Amino acid sequence: MSASTTPGPDPRPSGGLDLSGRTALVTGAAGGIGRACTLRLAAAGARVRAVDLDTGGLTDLVAAASGLPGPVEARPLDLTDLDAAERAAAGTDILVNNAGLQLVRPIEDFPPEVFSRVLTVMLEAPFRLVRGALPHMYAQGWGRIVNISSVHGLRASPYKSAYVAAKHGLEGLSKVAALEGAEHGVTSNCVNPGYVRTPLVERQIADQAEAHGISPERVVSEVMLAEAAVKRLVEPEEVAEAVAYLCGPHTSFITGASLSMDGGWTAH
């Protein structure tokens, strides 16, 4: 759902990136941004470990990746099993921390158990995945950590206490990993999109409509895109291209950064 009929960019991956021989791990890979990142990295030749709870979505993803230069391996995993998450990251050259969940509620009505789960999946699990990936990256003198943050890693919105807290924490974790990893040839960056056309955002539209007492159409135009100069949702493939760029040969000096893809939101 978008406030504009202006078409998005061509979703086909651009050329020029060769990740042959590299192993990548993408969390939340079964749909949305994670699916787009998995397909983009596989198109560049990387062997991709696709991590998600959604086994059906992973099966569809593997089928969609058939014929790409890099193989995609389904790795069903609950990221709240932190020990398993750390083990899954061993031996990876590229780590894309993407998995997330959202609940829109005022703080006084926000279930503490959901707050805890959001922080576990979106902050503790990325820490454990980074921890599991770094020994191999350090040993070979090369690694790429890309954390899918959000405009909400840079700005807050009401009713999203857990999500905003997790994304702000992820920003800090990413910067620490950048400082520690620099001498080992490892970069760590965040990509910060605005609202992306994903199932997670579609659910947010419904939640926000209920919270604000307005129609879904007004949620998109008056809430989600209110601060953006570009009045459309971000496409998952756009985010995947930014991730691929940060894994490429010309970005070794980009680390500890937050790459905004927010249509001008943070320009205010």
Side-chain angles (χ1 to χ4, degrees):
M1 184 180 299
S2 173
S4 171
T5 58
T6 302
D10 188 336
R12 293 172 297 181
S14 60
L17 178 63
D18 184 2
L19 295 176
S20 301
R22 301 293 189 189
T23 296
L25 185 151
V26 179
T27 66
I33 294 171
R35 177 185 171 92
C37 288
T38 298
L39 294 174
R40 179 66 183 94
L41 296 176
R47 176 182 297 274
V48 186
R49 301 173 186 172
V51 171
D52 207 295
L53 268 176
D54 181 0
T55 55
L58 288 177
T59 299
D60 292 343
L61 173 62
V62 170
S66 177
L68 292 178
V72 173
E73 176 188 353
R75 291 282 188 98
L77 178 64
D78 184 346
L79 290 177
T80 62
D81 185 342
L82 297 172
D83 290 338
E86 185 169 328
R87 290 193 298 269
T92 55
D93 306 302
I94 297 165
L95 172 62
V96 181
N97 284 312
N98 165 71
L101 58 152
Q102 176 67 281
L103 181 66
V104 181
R105 293 288 187 280
I107 291 174
E108 67 272 22
D109 297 329
F110 206 101
E113 67 276 11
V114 177
F115 190 96
S116 179
R117 179 175 175 80
V118 171
L119 269 289
T120 298
V121 171
M122 294 173 57
L123 185 55
E124 284 194 77
F127 161 72
R128 295 293 293 272
L129 287 154
V130 170
R131 189 173 188 271
L134 283 180
H136 170 72
M137 292 181 178
Y138 283 2
Q140 68 179 359
W142 192 93
R144 296 291 181 264
I145 299 166
V146 184
N147 300 298
I148 306 301
S149 182
S150 166
V151 66
H152 285 113
L154 307 173
R155 298 288 188 272
S157 290
Y159 311 121
K160 298 181 179 181
S161 55
Y163 190 88
V164 170
K167 292 300 189 184
H168 274 66
L170 186 64
E171 294 280 330
L173 173 64
S174 183
K175 289 177 172 62
V176 171
L179 296 176
E180 293 184 10
E183 64 180 291
H184 303 284
V186 175
T187 66
S188 175
N189 293 288
C190 288
V191 175
N192 300 70
Y195 289 99
V196 183
R197 194 186 305 277
T198 66
L200 180 67
V201 165
E202 294 294 338
R203 289 192 292 272
Q204 283 187 62
I205 292 170
D207 283 347
Q208 289 274 20
E210 181 180 352
H212 292 281
I214 60 178
S215 69
E217 291 74 19
R218 288 182 61 193
V219 167
V220 174
S221 62
E222 298 176 20
V223 179
M224 290 185 165
L225 300 180
E227 301 295 335
V230 180
K231 298 297 185 182
R232 66 170 177 83
L233 301 181
V234 186
E235 299 298 333
E237 292 77 15
E238 292 178 278
V239 182
E241 282 298 319
V243 171
Y245 168 70
L246 291 171
C247 297
H250 304 299
T251 53
S252 62
F253 211 70
I254 301 177
T255 194
S258 299
L259 178 58
S260 294
M261 302 181 64
D262 59 12
W265 183 336
T266 53
H268 289 279

